[in-house]
Amino acid sequence: MDWLQEKLEIIKSRNLYRRAASYHAISSTRVENSGRTFCLFASNDYLGMTHDPVVQQAAMQAAKLYGTGAGGARLTTGTYPLLEQLEKELAIFKETQASLLFNTGYMANIGVISSLAGPEDVIFSDQLNHASIIDGCRLSRAKTVIYRHKDMEDLYRLLKDTPCTGNRFIITDGVFSMDGDIAPLNYIVDLAQSCGAIVMVDDAHATGVLGAGGKGSASYFGLTGQVHIQIGTLSKAFGAEGGFVAGSSLLIEYIKNTARSFIFSTAPAPAAMGGALAALRRLVAEPQLVERLFANAKYVREGLREAGVPIDTGTTPIIPIMIGEAEKAVWLMNKLKSSGIIVTAIRPPSVPDGTSRLRLTVSAVHERNQLSKAVESIKAAYRKMNK
Ligand SMILES: *Cc1c(COP(=O)(O)O)cnc(C)c1O
């Protein structure tokens, strides 16, 4: 299979070769490698839940009570009470009738989309939607129509001009994973209502982040109840692993009986579910965590903007620094690493060609001195790059 080597060489020659860096986590914002410590600005652990002592204790307790693995798929092996409790509390949090857990957000998206949409349906999908949405659309065999990123006139035109004998779906990220901008859900819901389309929002980066208490983008726009399908992940703000869908009891019952990534996969591991439940309860008890997250994001965004670093006008904790060429983005990433800061260069295929960037993520538990050091280092490295 020499062609594999040839293909890898092509990837390398384009500066698109990727290798996972290996770090030992000391806390949710500090990592260690070969005796050096770094400050981490590349994690989606927005609320610092991964290293919260209560959350960790709950994860260990769940493994002790229910075992290290679930042992089988839920419909064949059965379930353990923690899963049902978490689903109940996620539904309350999302203000929906019910929810259903999957092993990851990726599996939730491919399972839900392929369960609901089929060849006679049309899916309208934002150009910058996450890969798991794209794969879900492919699996569903529905006709998929891509609209320009957040472009409501384009969506309107496509909804009007695309013939459809089945159902129409509009699917969008709530907060876009690589750009950190917010989908215009208010306009999307209006357009959907005018033609009877079903709205699905993927709140992987909005759950625990957007809206009062981090309830997500439907709540942020005051549209709870008008968004039919809400996807979430437990692997970002909840600091664990797992995905979920929230919506009406009817929707959840149907998905439970038809989504193949739910039916044919072993249930999520107890430790992850125990940790996620404790994280959810902590967020509900302490909604001001979300305010701290946004205050930290604001501090970094303003600092960078004042220094002339090109960032957009957004507000979320995902802060893309647009660079363009993959080679330059990698140079900047390495430069920052040498000053003790981990940020990730995001390159194709994660983003379109020519839009390579540094993607900085801020957490509620970053301390002020960590934030100011990051701003100063980025400022200096960015100036150097442009010399
Ligand atoms: C991260 C992410 C997912 C996948 O979630 P996992 O739980 O990590 O599999 C899905 N959709 C979006 C928008 C994401 O950012």
Side-chain angles (χ1 to χ4, degrees):
M1 295 207 291
D2 291 344
W3 53 277
L4 291 179
Q5 195 57 46
E6 283 162 29
K7 292 208 166 184
L8 270 176
E9 291 307 325
I10 294 172
I11 292 171
K12 282 181 185 167
S13 72
R14 289 187 190 149
N15 280 301
L16 300 180
Y17 184 72
R18 305 204 283 191
R19 184 186 333 211
S22 170
Y23 300 111
H24 175 85
I26 301 167
S27 72
S28 73
T29 59
R30 286 195 318 130
V31 297
E32 190 257 2
N33 182 9
S34 314
R36 269 196 80 187
T37 62
F38 299 87
C39 188
L40 186 64
F41 285 89
S43 166
N44 302 316
D45 179 18
Y46 295 116
L47 304 174
M49 295 294 187
T50 58
H51 286 70
D52 180 278
V54 175
V55 172
Q56 287 185 333
Q57 191 58 42
M60 289 186 270
Q61 186 71 18
K64 199 127 193 98
L65 274 175
Y66 303 112
T68 52
R74 272 165 83 178
L75 299 181
T76 48
T77 303
T79 192
Y80 52 98
L82 189 52
L83 284 174
E84 286 160 341
Q85 186 61 31
L86 180 53
E87 283 170 346
K88 204 182 290 172
E89 295 191 30
L90 280 171
I92 293 168
F93 178 68
K94 282 287 181 180
E95 297 170 5
T96 58
Q97 287 175 341
S99 82
L100 181 68
L101 289 162
F102 289 76
N103 295 67
T104 64
Y106 190 106
M107 287 173 71
N109 270 331
I110 61 169
V112 167
I113 298 170
S114 62
S115 132
L116 297 175
E120 66 288 358
D121 302 318
V122 181
I123 298 171
F124 298 86
S125 177
D126 188 287
Q127 180 190 4
L128 295 187
N129 275 346
H130 190 261
S132 54
I133 293 177
I134 296 169
D135 293 356
C137 294
R138 288 179 181 153
L139 267 179
S140 76
R141 282 176 280 172
K143 179 179 170 67
T144 302
V145 177
I146 312 292
Y147 60 92
R148 282 200 295 271
H149 181 49
K150 295 198 302 185
D151 186 335
M152 294 297 103
E153 280 179 26
D154 197 35
L155 176 58
Y156 170 76
R157 189 179 54 77
L158 290 166
L159 280 167
K160 195 159 57 70
D161 294 347
T162 312
C164 174
T165 55
N167 291 309
R168 291 180 172 84
F169 294 84
I170 305 174
I171 306 184
T172 183
D173 279 19
V175 169
F176 287 88
S177 52
M178 294 299 137
D179 292 65
D181 52 344
I182 299 170
L185 206 53
N186 47 344
Y187 292 105
I188 290 174
V189 164
D190 271 353
L191 283 177
Q193 287 176 348
S194 71
C195 66
I198 296 157
V199 178
M200 169 169 151
V201 63
D202 176 0
D203 267 352
H205 288 283
T207 300
V209 174
L210 213 57
K215 283 173 183 286
S217 43
S219 170
Y220 174 80
F221 282 103
L223 293 169
T224 315
Q226 292 172 74
V227 174
H228 307 89
I229 308 158
Q230 299 185 55
I231 301 291
T233 178
L234 306 176
S235 65
K236 289 170 181 159
F238 292 150
E241 187 175 53
F244 66 91
V245 52
S248 71
S249 306
L250 175 65
L251 174 84
I252 298 304
E253 193 188 339
Y254 182 81
I255 292 171
K256 212 181 262 189
N257 282 277
T258 53
R260 294 168 64 84
S261 64
F262 170 77
I263 297 171
F264 296 106
S265 195
T266 298
M273 298 300 103
L277 181 57
L280 171 61
R281 286 178 176 169
R282 172 141 189 245
L283 173 59
V284 170
E286 232 178 296
Q288 60 274 22
L289 275 173
V290 178
E291 287 163 35
R292 205 179 311 151
L293 173 64
F294 272 75
N296 284 353
K298 185 165 181 235
Y299 177 88
V300 172
R301 282 176 174 276
E302 282 178 356
L304 293 176
R305 215 171 274 142
E306 278 165 20
V309 178
I311 55 167
D312 61 14
T313 55
T315 57
T316 71
I318 300 173
I319 308 176
I321 301 172
M322 286 301 170
I323 304 297
E325 292 165 42
E327 190 184 355
K328 278 188 170 182
V330 172
W331 183 88
L332 209 48
M333 168 172 76
N334 290 332
K335 187 83 197 153
L336 287 166
K337 189 173 170 193
S338 69
S339 48
I341 289 174
I342 309 273
V343 289
T344 312
I346 307 281
R347 293 167 275 168
S350 299
V351 292
D353 278 326
T355 70
S356 288
R357 68 201 64 185
L358 280 193
R359 176 179 178 273
L360 192 74
T361 49
V362 173
S363 136
V365 296
H366 273 123
E367 282 159 24
R368 198 38 74 93
N369 64 344
Q370 294 178 310
L371 300 175
S372 59
K373 183 174 176 222
V375 170
E376 289 311 312
S377 306
I378 293 167
K379 209 156 82 175
Y382 188 75
R383 289 204 177 125
K384 196 147 197 176
M385 182 186 78
N386 284 331
K387 268 211 189 116

